Amino acid sequence: MLKRILLGLLLALVALAAVVAVKTWTTPSRQLAVAPAPKLDIDLQAAAKRLAGAIPIRTVSSLDDPAANLAEFDRLHAYLEQNFPKVHATLKKEVVGQKALLYTWTGSDAAAKPIALMAHQDMVPIAPGTEKAWSVDPFGGEIKDGFVWGRGTLDNKGNLFAQMEAIELLIASGFKPRQTIYLVMGDDEEVSGLRGAQPIAELLKSRGVKLDWVLDEGLLVLDGVLPGLSKPAALIGLAEKGYATFFLSLDTAPGHSSMPPAHSAIGSMSAALARLEANPMPGGIQGVAGQMFGTLAPEMSGINRVMLSNLWLTAPLVEGQLQKSPSSNAMLRTTTALTIVRAGNKDNVLPGRAEAAVNFRVLPGDTIDSVEAHLRKQLGNEEIKIKRYPGNSEASPVSPTDSAGYRTIERSVRQSFPDAIVAPGLMTAATDSRHFSILSDAVFRFSPFRMKNEDLARFHGTNERLAISNYGEMIGFYHQLLRNTSAAQPQ
């Protein structure tokens, strides 16, 4: 009897192994087979100098002071006009709100739905105390060792100038777009986009504009970042997570530290925050993350290919590994971040108030209401008051991969980065594009930056820089994208 059971188990294991093997090695690649785009005839060193010349223009936006650095934005506008004369002679330029820019390149076919390319003018400041950690002056716009250095090269003047360079080249070649193209350049993306991108979206809506698709900054061409993938992965963001901050406060009677109560304001708040951090919202490989891993799996090697090709069996193991890394865990769930704690001002006084702030990045499928319900449950203390941040925003809709926009972007990426694997992905940070869901159901997020793992910290960090060779690829990508868009027939 025991031998029969063991034999049955062995046969079951053999059958299971066979199913896993067949599923692993017969899952086809989803990559488009296209020829690389022709190499552009461009003076790349001159283009790099034009980008470098914009770095000393300190277009740093402020949440609390809308009037901050307005003169710097005027300087940037003048610099753009000076360096891209054909763009400014051909496209209609409008200043919206304070300093946001909207360019309109009218297409030849009035019946064709327009598209929008987005980039933002503003940038974040240098973190106080880190200035000396930079290898160069962060606002010097220095060209050194094959890179353009300085704040804004990656986020987001690199995208903005690459788009302008591509369009200047297209105009010089006699190209005329079939559909109208809007260039949207917000001036406050780093502090919400409420003064720039949102008014532009509302302006276009008031004019009856419906966009076929939108492309903003977003996910990257990751080289050597994803385990098991020997080629770079170019990820196109189908959606971005929502933003939800909650301010917490707990009031108790203040008192002398010589006679402390059993539960102080600080202790009660700390215990509640610990419970919250220890119990994250549920998640898993589903939605956009499922689409991404499903696309990458056939391109993987070794055990990674086996595991990702058989998530019906291996999902718990794979999810357990992904949860160990903050970056991959963020793709699986709504994340919880304790960002501010305040209480007390003297060592021998029990404070009567403890305050905290918790920031959630909301996964598509969750809502701010469901996040607040989770927050209240996990805090486990009805005395803690909860207040929502007014700037909270829901997760964006998920854009379709079977749309003309995704197919055109995918093709352009494959042509411009022929060594890369293209897959859909989820943007875990916020962009100006979230304001454009009122104009299109196909909003995508992709920045054509080649990034290694060690380069990711340069975004908003120290020694931000852009490789000149990569800048040439970026210009080529936008050039090819607009050519492909104009050549595509309406779906």
Side-chain angles (χ1 to χ4, degrees), residues 253-273:
H256 199 285
S257 64
S258 64
M259 297 178 289
H263 301 289
S264 65
I266 291 177
S268 296
M269 179 65 82
S270 299
L273 294 177

Side-chain angles (χ1 to χ4, degrees), residues 357-411:
V358 186
N359 177 249
F360 296 87
R361 297 304 174 103
V362 185
L363 190 74
D366 291 335
T367 66
I368 294 175
D369 285 341
S370 68
V371 170
E372 183 171 351
H374 169 83
L375 172 64
R376 290 184 183 276
K377 178 181 178 181
Q378 299 304 329
L379 289 175
N381 188 334
E382 295 182 358
E383 299 300 315
I384 296 178
K385 297 182 177 64
I386 299 174
K387 182 181 179 181
R388 293 187 182 188
Y389 169 55
N392 288 349
S393 59
E394 300 284 1
S396 75
V398 178
S399 299
T401 56
D402 60 354
S403 64
Y406 183 86
R407 289 194 295 268
T408 303
I409 296 167
E410 179 186 32
R411 175 175 293 275

Side-chain angles (χ1 to χ4, degrees), residues 90-280:
T90 306
L91 279 63
K92 176 186 176 183
K93 170 187 166 184
E94 299 174 83
V95 179
V96 180
Q98 287 187 306
K99 300 298 176 182
L101 294 175
L102 172 64
Y103 290 88
T104 305
W105 194 2
T106 303
S108 60
D109 183 356
K113 289 181 70 174
I115 66 166
L117 296 183
M118 301 181 67
H120 60 88
Q121 308 169 59
D122 63 316
M123 53 194 181
V124 298
I126 305 301
T130 66
E131 294 87 352
K132 292 183 179 179
W134 282 71
S135 301
V136 299
D137 177 357
F139 291 104
E142 187 172 340
I143 295 178
K144 175 184 174 183
D145 301 329
F147 295 89
V148 180
W149 295 74
R151 176 61 85 229
T153 49
L154 298 177
D155 194 5
N156 186 237
K157 287 177 179 173
N159 283 26
L160 190 154
F161 272 72
Q163 292 173 12
M164 297 294 271
E165 293 281 357
I167 294 173
E168 188 83 359
L169 287 170
L170 286 167
I171 294 171
S173 71
F175 174 85
K176 294 181 180 179
R178 181 176 59 84
Q179 66 288 85
T180 294
I181 297 166
Y182 294 102
L183 303 182
V184 178
M185 300 175 180
D187 59 339
D188 68 332
E189 189 275 345
E190 297 293 358
V191 294
S192 74
L194 297 177
R195 301 191 298 261
Q198 185 179 69
I200 290 178
E202 292 171 347
L203 175 64
L204 292 176
K205 183 179 179 181
S206 72
R207 294 174 178 174
V209 173
K210 293 293 292 183
L211 297 170
D212 192 21
W213 53 268
V214 178
L215 179 63
D216 196 4
E217 64 171 329
L219 300 177
L220 311 165
V221 183
L222 300 174
D223 190 356
V225 176
L226 300 181
L229 190 65
S230 60
K231 296 181 179 180
L235 304 180
I236 301 171
L238 304 185
E240 65 182 50
K241 299 179 84 171
Y243 186 99
T245 288
F246 296 88
F247 298 104
L248 314 180
S249 61
L250 176 61
D251 294 302
T252 61
H256 199 285
S257 64
S258 64
M259 297 178 289
H263 301 289
S264 65
I266 291 177
S268 296
M269 179 65 82
S270 299
L273 294 177
R275 286 192 297 271
L276 178 65
E277 191 172 53
N279 295 279

Side-chain angles (χ1 to χ4, degrees), residues 84 87 117 242 256 378 426-427 483:
F84 301 103
V87 170
L117 296 183
H256 199 285
Q378 299 304 329
L426 174 66
M427 182 74 176
R483 290 185 64 86

